[in-house]
Amino acid sequence: MVPVILRTEVHCLGCARKIRKAVKNLYGVENVWASPDTGLVVVAGSADAFALKRLIESKTRREVTIVSGGEEEPQPDVWQWQQALPPPPQGNGYPYYSHIVHSAPPQHYYVAAPPPPVYPYV
C-alpha cells in the first residue's frame, strides 16, 4: 500500500480541514494528512489517485498535481473512436449520418393515436 501524495495550495488550517473532511470518507482511505506548511496532501490507503485529485479540485477549486502514488492519467485516443465508425456508403451522393438520436416519439405514435374527443359546451 503506497501512500498517494498530492500537491495543492493549502493556505491555512481551515483549507487543510476542508480537504481532510472531503477525503476521509472516500473508499480506500485510511488516513489523511494535509499540511499548510508544505502544501502536500498525503493519503494512506488504497484509494485511487485520480479520484482523490478530482475530489479535492472540486471541493477547493484549486489545481492539484499528483506527486507520487499514481501513474500518468490515461488520455483518450481521439483516433481510436473514429476508426471504430463504419465507413460511409458510397455512390448515392447523400451525406451519411450515423449515431443520430431522435428526441421525438416514433412516427407510429402520431398515426395510431386517435384524436382527442370534442365536447361541445352546453
Side-chain angles (χ1 to χ4, degrees), residues 20-98:
R20 282 194 306 269
K21 185 178 177 183
V23 172
K24 71 178 180 179
N25 292 327
L26 195 64
Y27 178 75
V29 174
E30 293 179 7
N31 210 345
V32 181
W33 296 275
S35 173
D37 299 331
T38 60
L40 295 177
V41 178
V42 181
V43 180
S46 61
D48 183 32
F50 302 108
L52 292 169
K53 176 185 175 189
R54 289 189 180 110
L55 179 67
I56 294 173
E57 283 178 342
S58 68
K59 293 295 182 180
T60 62
R61 297 184 184 179
R62 295 188 187 116
E63 186 177 348
V64 177
T65 57
I66 300 173
V67 176
S68 71
E71 299 173 6
E72 190 66 29
E73 185 172 10
Q75 297 295 327
D77 188 12
V78 175
W79 300 108
Q80 182 180 11
W81 67 268
Q82 288 180 350
Q83 292 172 356
L85 293 176
Q90 299 294 325
N92 60 4
Y94 293 104
Y96 175 70
Y97 300 106
S98 64

